[in-house]
Amino acid sequence: MDQQVTTPMVQMKTTAYIEALPEGKRAELINGRVYDMGATGTAHQRIVHGLDVIIGNYINSNHGKCEVFPAPFAVYINDDKWSYLEPDLSVICASEKIDEKGCHGAPDWVLEVVSPSSRQMDYILKLITYRAAGVREYWIIDPDKQVVLLYHFEGNEYGRQYLFTDDIPVGIYPGFTINIADMMVRR
């Protein structure tokens, strides 16, 4: 007699589930599946804060129309009820995508700082999700490896790897480079 193998059903969640989470509890939602978010460390926060300042200052000094938003900031990446992300940094150039709830659609540039708990998400699942949604540029910043993996999706490039000590070119802003190592030097 053949035994039938069954797989447990994964109950799909919607953004309503994420929005109803208790204060302080954070999670992301990709294609109806919930991914809990762990706490971040000091190096992670230093990088996010430094990039937020550098990118924001660059945009402001060049009278740019884009805005930079650090996490926690809601990104309804496909503008549907099945996906909700909180990238470490989102740069959004289309003001019509932004309202009081967050961003509805793909940001132009997303930067994720890898934590031990987010490694697989940032390198695989989010890479696929951001590319499919129409993000123009995606940076994976890995403090443990001291590298940045940069994807410029508009040019159909494979990822390019840079060291923290490199002047990393920003694809959506020609002529703008960021050196993570310089940024991390405490003054």
Side-chain angles (χ1 to χ4, degrees):
M1 185 195 255
D2 290 334
Q3 280 189 326
Q4 186 176 4
V5 178
T6 58
T7 351
M9 294 283 293
V10 175
Q11 185 178 2
M12 302 287 283
K13 303 288 186 193
T14 66
T15 53
Y17 173 85
I18 298 292
E19 291 165 349
L21 289 173
E23 184 76 29
K25 173 99 169 119
R26 293 176 53 212
E28 293 179 304
L29 181 72
I30 299 175
N31 297 325
R33 185 161 181 192
V34 175
Y35 298 89
D36 290 326
M37 298 176 73
T40 60
T42 303
H44 182 282
Q45 289 301 320
R46 282 188 179 131
I47 292 169
V48 170
H49 175 70
L51 288 168
D52 183 26
V53 170
I54 288 169
I55 296 166
N57 286 343
Y58 178 84
I59 292 169
N60 290 337
S61 68
N62 288 281
H63 309 287
K65 63 177 182 161
C66 303
E67 293 183 76
V68 59
F69 295 93
F73 179 73
V75 174
Y76 299 85
I77 192 78
N78 297 316
D79 201 15
D80 64 14
K81 67 179 184 176
W82 303 109
S83 294
Y84 168 98
L85 295 164
E86 289 185 9
D88 289 317
L89 284 167
S90 302
V91 177
I92 303 156
C93 300
S95 61
E96 66 273 7
K97 289 183 179 181
I98 302 168
D99 68 11
E100 287 305 309
K101 286 181 76 174
C103 176
H104 300 271
D108 293 87
W109 180 17
V110 171
L111 301 92
E112 293 282 9
V113 179
V114 177
S115 298
S117 64
S118 73
R119 185 166 297 283
Q120 202 167 12
M121 287 281 294
D122 294 336
Y123 276 101
I124 300 170
L125 189 56
K126 287 186 178 180
L127 169 67
I128 294 165
T129 302
Y130 291 142
R131 183 179 189 126
V135 169
R136 295 168 57 198
E137 186 165 346
Y138 177 42
W139 287 25
I140 303 170
I141 302 159
D142 195 323
D144 289 341
K145 295 179 180 179
Q146 299 277 299
V147 298
V148 176
L149 195 54
L150 185 154
Y151 291 90
H152 189 65
F153 296 135
E154 289 180 317
N156 270 337
E157 286 184 23
Y158 292 101
R160 296 188 67 188
Q161 184 171 297
Y162 295 90
L163 301 175
F164 274 24
T165 54
D166 292 334
D167 291 330
I168 305 167
V170 177
I172 68 167
Y173 293 117
F176 178 34
T177 62
I178 297 174
N179 185 301
I180 305 280
D182 285 351
M183 179 193 74
M184 294 180 69
V185 173
R186 301 211 48 186
R187 302 195 197 295

